[in-house]
Amino acid sequence: MELKVTDFLKQDELLAGLAEEAAELSQAALKLRRVLDGRNPTPVGFRQAVCHLNEEIADVLLYLEWIHAMDNGLVREFRNKKLARWVTRLMEAKDAENDA
Ligand SMILES: [Mg+2]
C-alpha cells in the first residue's frame, strides 16, 4: 500500500504549507529579478537564483497535488481567460505607446 501525504496531513495544514511555499516562491522570484536588474547588488549569483526559483516552484507544485479544493478544469478556465485579458492589455498599451 502506497502511503499518501494526506494520510498524515489534513487539508488545513496543507493549505498553510501551500501559503508558506507560495511566499517562498514570491521571494525567489524577486531575488532573481534583483539579480537580473543589477541595480541593487546581492551576493546571490544568477545560477543560484534560478536554482532557488525552480526549487520553490517544485515546492508549490508538490502542495498543489494534494489540495482537494483545486479544480483543474476551473484553473484552466481562469488561466485561459486571464491570458486573453493580459494579451489584450499588452496590445492596448502598445497601441497607446504607438499613438503617443
Ligand atoms: Mg520552499
Side-chain angles (χ1 to χ4, degrees):
M1 182 182 98
E2 186 178 336
L3 290 174
K4 299 175 184 171
V5 169
T6 46
D7 293 333
F8 301 92
L9 299 173
K10 292 183 178 174
Q11 287 295 300
D12 61 343
E13 193 56 40
L14 292 171
L15 289 166
L18 174 62
E20 184 181 322
E21 295 301 342
E24 290 176 7
L25 175 57
S26 172
Q27 291 174 353
L30 287 169
K31 180 65 77 176
L32 178 55
R33 185 247 174 224
R34 185 173 158 195
V35 169
L36 291 171
D37 181 73
R39 281 181 292 178
N40 188 8
T42 168
V44 176
F46 174 75
R47 282 175 182 263
Q48 187 182 356
V50 168
C51 184
H52 190 218
L53 180 69
N54 280 276
E55 179 184 353
E56 299 306 338
I57 289 170
D59 287 345
V60 167
L61 290 174
L62 189 55
Y63 270 95
L64 288 175
E65 288 178 29
W66 300 102
I67 300 296
H68 292 158
M70 185 166 155
D71 177 332
N72 287 322
L74 192 55
V75 168
R76 199 173 309 111
E77 197 175 308
F78 276 124
R79 181 253 180 223
N80 291 341
K81 283 181 188 169
K82 289 180 182 235
L83 175 59
R85 187 177 66 190
W86 189 13
V87 169
T88 299
R89 287 178 180 165
L90 289 169
M91 287 170 48
E92 287 170 356
K94 187 74 173 171
D95 289 345
E97 190 181 293
N98 290 339
D99 291 345

